[in-house]
Every structure is written in C-alpha cells, then in structure tokens.
Amino acid sequence: MNRKTLVLPALVGLLAPVLAACGSTDSGAGGDGAIVVGTTDQFVASEENPAPFDPAIGYDAGVWNVLRQTVQTLTVVPSGGGEPVPEAARSCGFTDTESESYRCTLREGLTFADGTPITAEDVKHSVQRVVAIGADSGPTGLLDNIDTIETKGDQQVIFHLKTPDATFPYKLSTPAAGIVPKKHYAAKTPRDGFQVDGSGPYTMKPEVKDGRVVKINFSKNPSYKGELKVLNEKVEMDLFPDSEAMGKALDEKKIHVMTRAMSPEQARDLLVNPQEGVELTEMPGLAIRYLAFNTKDPVVNKAVRQAMAQIIDRGEIAGEVYGTTAEPLYSMIPTSIAGHTNSFFNKYGEPNTAKAAETLRDAGTKTPVKFTLHYTNDHYGPATAKEFKTLQQQLNRSGLFDVDVRGTEWSKYRPEQKRGDYAAYGMGWFPDFPDPDNYTAPFLDKNNFLNSPYRSREAQDVLIPQSRREADRTAAGETYEKLQDIVANDVPLLPVWQGKQYVASRAGIAGVERSVSSTSELQLWELNRPNA
C-alpha cells in the first residue's frame, strides 16, 4: 500500500469462471461502444472532503478503482500476484543490501495524457505532496518512511528511506504514489473536485449531480506507455445506490458487468439458478472484516476483548450471513497470504462460553458487560446489518454481554471512529498490496489507520522493522507469526471473516476473470468484446 520476493500460493485458474450461460450482449448498454460497468461505490464532494479523487486524499477501494485507471505508478503488481514489475519506470531496484535506497529509471517518451513530458521531478513532486499534505484519513502512512528523494537528470529518481523497507516497491505501486501533473496538483494543497489527470491507461470524465458522481466515462489514453495492455476503447462506470438497483440494471441489459458490491444473496442466486445470457465469475479475495476497539475505554478492557474472541462464532457468520462469499478468519493476515497463521484459533479454539466467563471472572469484570457495537450501514454492502445482528445475538445469548448494535452512514462513521467515539466497532480492509506487512503495520504501527490508542512496543519497535528488512518475504514468516500472536493475546483487533469476490456479466464480454485483482481493484483495461 516491496521488496525482493513475494510468492503467493499457486492457484489453478486464479480467476476462473464459476458458471457460464449462452447468449449475446445486448446493445442497450453502451450504445457508443463503451463497456458499461456497474458499482455501488459512492463518491461525494463535501466540506469535510472537497477533494475525494486526489491521490493524496483518497484512500479507499472505490477511489483507488478510479485512480488505477487514470494515474500511473512507477511499479505495478501483476494481476495474478507476485512481486511488482516496472510500469511508468523501465527499471527499478534497490541499490543497497539494506533495502534503504531505491532507484527507478523512467520509460523513454513518457507523457501525461495532454502530451506534457513526464520527468523525474514530476515523480518527486507527486510523492512529496502526499506527505506534505498529510491528510488525516489519507494514504500518507504508505510513504512517510521516505527520508529524501533525489533526481538525476530527467529520467532517474532515487528514494532514500529512513529505515530499511523491503516492501517499498509495493508501496510505489499504489495510487498513493501516482504520478500527477504539477499544473493541476499543487505541492501542499489538495485538488478539489472529481477530475483526475495523469498518464494512466485511460482519461476520465465524471458526470456529477448535486455534488455526487453518477457516472464516469473512461476513454483509452492514446499517449499511454506502460506495462498494461488496454483491450477496449471506452468503459463507462455507472454508480448505483445499492446492489439491488445494480442487479436490476444487469437484468434490464443496461450494464454489461456488475462488480462492487454484489450481495451474498445475488451471488447465491446466480450460483443456484443460472440466468440465460449471464456469467458469474468467482475469484479469490484478500479483503477482510474485523472488529476493532478503543482500548482506552474501560468498558472493553482486555478481558472483555478476550471474552468476545472466545464467544464469537465465525462459522455461523460466514455460513448464515455470507454463504459462499466468505470464510472464517482467525488472523488479520488472510489465509492466502504468506505468513498467515491461525493465531486466534490456536489461542481460543471453538466458541466456548464457559471459558469466556472464566476470563471475565478472573479479571473481576462484572457481567453482563454492556456496550454498543457500531457498524457502517452504507459502506460494506447490504449484509453488514445482518452480520452485526448475528454478532449481537451471539454475545447476548452467552449471558455475559448486553450489547446493542447501531448503524451509521460512512460519512459520519469514519470521523467518529477516528475520534474515539466508539468503544467497539466493525471495519473492513481492502489491502493496499498483497503482503503480510499490509495487514499488520497499518493497524499496529505509529500513525495507524484506525487512530487506535493501542500500543505494543515489541510490535512497533522490534517486529515491524525486523519484518521489513527481509527482502525474501518468506523469511519473515516467524516475525509475522509473533505479530499475529500479539494481536490474538491483546485483541486490539478481532478478525471475523475473509471474503471471496464475484462479478456478474452479460455473455459476450471477455476478460472478466482478470478485471478485478486479488486486492479488489478494478482492472478495466482487461475487459473486451472478442466478437465485436
């Protein structure tokens, strides 16, 4: 959100269609030849966030899905996973054995979409402004280990890091390090509005109504030079208020592809009752859901958090709420990431009310423990309310808890969460890059993503720096096992489930199985009509 090596487990048919039906794409969608993609992501400009698409500000999966199409990064992670490869750069690599100095050489003839040449100074400007702006909920943490940036001529840029970080090439592959033109992006202030300018595979034109994006038109950038192969001329992204409206648009042939976020019921229905002319594609996902705590709030002391970890039945939540779209998770690091270990299961085993009661009794905690469990009702999909109702029932039927649940819209939820208003709350995480560092450091390191008061000196001062020194990421496994065990013991975070990804599309659209990465980012350039 890089180092020498990251090897993910081999997956046969990494993005393989689950079912397919015969038919042809109707001409009702994308009459101008555009492939129309539906999403439930919402983009709103407000007084609190007037610049939602600025790479220095935007830091959620939906925003990055727009930036991925329009801004270019020095490196890129291949769609099938693995270590980053050059993108805007023609070569990149560490210049020392300590992973503290990283040099990239730009491709020859690289320009922004308007034809303006891109130089090493543009790269320096783009990265430095993210740190200089330092947005409260932005991606600054991905780049704040940079000490200085040196340029040599127009083509070479060298990043000198404060401490060794073998994950740095991955961080340069994220939109946080997107290269943007100085004339549109000031050094110390965000760019307001919804327009994005860069050198990526597409140019974009947003359609806005009442301060909210309703549609984005992506057109192939003729000036693009990079690693990606753009297989279409136009893609239209239509925004829907919910998955039901998006599904109706697919049924009515108003869109070709239905992406984020299909409901579990929609995926289940398409699996059980295939529709003629519709294909459902299943792909592995690295997104996770978890509970988090304001560890300074005495209501959720360590014993309370451990008792919750002892009671929660992840299998019931995954099976009854999400069905085939989720599986239980016993660590913040998902199962398909190197370094994963089932630390929570190893410590707590199967749900056990008696052991939870013993934990609370030994700590002198009176029961039932009363608090509110908060969740966002408009950010992670329609099943979130049912998930938290199930969590409430699990905790309360133990007799040890008296929990209320409360849903809040994301625009209020995130500021209140960061301010520390919630004792216990639910969050999701779409990784910045596929490495165990991105499931540990953002939550345990200084200036963490949640603004959590929790501190582990061993994690911050020893284990995280130690893990980043390992250029061979498989060699950091023991360190990550210790980090996961710390989380399981202290429970500042409580992992619940890991998701799968489903995309529905009308027959006749190819490349769907490659159009969403394992980190849930859209790769619209993969979509095409082979018979058009």
Side-chain angles (χ1 to χ4, degrees):
M1 47 173 210
N2 253 319
R3 93 222 77 249
K4 188 167 176 223
T5 306
L6 171 71
V7 181
L8 296 179
L11 294 170
V12 179
L14 179 64
L15 302 175
V18 176
L19 62 89
C22 297
S24 60
T25 302
D26 193 275
S27 60
D32 61 351
I35 296 174
V36 185
V37 174
T39 178
T40 58
D41 288 319
Q42 301 296 307
F43 309 118
V44 181
S46 64
E47 185 176 347
E48 295 78 15
N49 183 18
F53 284 164
D54 189 319
I57 304 296
Y59 192 30
D60 66 48
V63 170
W64 277 22
N65 278 339
V66 175
L67 295 178
R68 279 288 182 198
Q69 322 309 316
T70 48
V71 299
Q72 200 173 9
T73 50
L74 290 170
T75 62
V76 65
V77 177
S79 59
E83 62 182 288
V85 297
E87 161 57 348
R90 58 181 170 87
S91 65
C92 284
F94 283 106
T95 61
D96 64 336
T97 59
E98 298 298 320
S99 300
E100 286 186 303
S101 181
Y102 193 75
R103 176 167 55 201
C104 289
T105 302
L106 296 178
R107 293 178 185 267
E108 295 288 342
L110 201 66
T111 69
F112 291 111
D114 65 359
T116 304
I118 297 175
T119 69
E121 283 295 329
D122 292 303
V123 176
K124 180 178 179 179
H125 166 81
S126 300
V127 173
Q128 283 184 332
R129 68 183 297 274
V130 176
V131 179
I133 291 172
D136 184 47
S137 296
T140 311
L142 291 169
L143 304 175
D144 62 5
N145 190 37
I146 297 173
D147 186 16
T148 60
I149 303 176
E150 176 186 359
T151 60
K152 289 188 175 181
D154 288 339
Q155 300 301 111
Q156 284 196 0
V157 57
I158 305 167
F159 301 91
H160 301 285
L161 308 182
K162 299 173 186 176
T163 59
D165 185 4
T167 72
F168 188 66
Y170 281 101
K171 293 170 181 175
L172 285 184
S173 76
T174 70
I179 305 168
V180 293
K182 290 182 181 180
K183 65 181 178 181
H184 294 306
Y185 296 84
K188 295 183 178 180
T189 56
R191 179 184 183 180
D192 291 356
F194 296 108
Q195 186 58 48
V196 181
D197 290 280
S199 57
Y202 296 97
T203 60
M204 62 89 79
K205 182 179 180 181
E207 296 183 21
V208 181
K209 183 177 180 180
D210 299 327
R212 181 184 298 270
V213 176
V214 295
K215 181 183 297 185
I216 301 176
N217 298 293
F218 293 103
S219 298
K220 185 176 180 180
N221 175 12
S223 301
Y224 171 72
K225 292 183 178 181
E227 176 71 14
L228 309 176
K229 307 302 180 187
V230 185
L231 302 179
N232 57 66
E233 294 296 324
K234 294 181 180 180
V235 177
E236 178 184 296
M237 180 185 287
D238 284 4
L239 280 63
F240 296 91
D242 51 46
S243 58
E244 183 178 353
M246 181 169 60
K248 182 179 179 182
L250 185 72
D251 292 340
E252 296 177 350
K253 303 181 181 180
K254 293 180 179 178
I255 63 174
H256 298 110
V257 182
M258 182 164 68
T259 59
R260 289 170 40 94
M262 290 179 62
S263 71
E265 291 79 13
Q266 287 173 323
R268 188 183 303 120
D269 288 346
L270 284 171
L271 281 168
V272 176
N273 301 302
Q275 295 182 18
E276 183 179 358
V278 174
E279 299 176 0
L280 183 68
T281 303
E282 177 188 319
M283 53 200 75
L286 297 177
I288 67 171
R289 291 291 173 82
Y290 61 96
L291 302 181
F293 304 92
N294 178 354
T295 54
K296 282 189 175 180
D297 193 317
V299 173
V300 288
N301 60 45
K302 183 176 178 179
V304 169
R305 303 193 303 267
Q306 289 179 330
M308 291 177 65
Q310 185 73 73
I311 288 173
I312 287 175
D313 186 342
R314 296 168 175 82
E316 180 184 17
I317 293 168
E320 295 191 8
V321 178
Y322 292 99
T324 61
T325 65
E327 59 185 8
L329 181 63
Y330 296 91
S331 166
M332 290 296 288
I333 300 175
T335 56
S336 50
I337 291 289
H340 164 84
T341 185
N342 288 318
S343 294
F344 273 81
F345 188 85
N346 295 340
K347 183 172 179 61
Y348 301 102
E350 297 290 350
N352 191 311
T353 298
K355 289 183 178 179
E358 182 180 358
T359 297
L360 293 171
R361 185 168 58 250
D362 290 348
T365 301
K366 294 182 179 180
T367 58
V369 181
K370 185 178 178 63
F371 63 88
T372 298
L373 185 56
H374 295 266
Y375 68 95
T376 173
N377 55 19
D378 65 348
H379 194 66
Y380 295 125
T384 308
K386 184 178 179 181
E387 174 187 349
F388 277 79
K389 187 67 175 177
T390 304
L391 284 167
Q392 178 191 31
Q393 292 170 348
Q394 290 180 357
L395 293 168
N396 289 352
R397 72 187 176 211
S398 72
L400 302 175
F401 292 92
D402 181 7
V403 174
D404 290 326
V405 292
R406 182 177 303 161
T408 304
E409 58 269 27
W410 180 253
S411 61
K412 295 181 180 178
Y413 184 85
R414 179 65 167 138
E416 290 175 351
Q417 173 267 308
K418 290 201 72 175
R419 198 164 57 229
D421 292 357
Y422 305 152
Y425 53 95
M427 292 288 285
W429 182 249
F430 297 89
D432 306 325
F433 51 86
D435 185 271
D437 179 83
N438 198 237
Y439 292 91
T440 49
F443 307 102
L444 303 176
D445 211 352
K446 304 175 183 68
N447 303 317
N448 64 79
F449 168 72
L450 297 172
N451 198 31
S452 169
Y454 172 77
R455 295 291 181 272
S456 165
R457 290 194 177 278
E458 183 181 7
Q460 283 189 2
D461 300 340
V462 179
L463 297 177
I464 291 174
Q466 181 176 304
S467 71
R468 288 174 171 172
R469 293 189 186 98
E470 298 289 355
D472 181 351
R473 300 308 291 155
T474 59
E478 184 177 345
T479 302
Y480 284 112
E481 182 175 348
K482 292 178 181 178
L483 282 166
Q484 291 167 90
D485 288 346
I486 287 173
V487 174
N489 183 68
D490 293 349
V491 201
L493 308 156
L494 205 172
V496 180
W497 58 268
Q498 174 181 347
K500 298 179 183 179
Q501 301 181 107
Y502 290 91
V503 176
S505 60
R506 301 215 64 84
I509 300 296
V512 176
E513 70 277 9
R514 298 182 300 278
S515 67
V516 182
S517 73
S518 61
T519 55
S520 302
E521 292 177 358
L522 293 180
Q523 300 175 149
L524 299 180
W525 52 86
E526 297 283 3
L527 297 172
N528 64 94
R529 290 188 180 95
N531 299 319

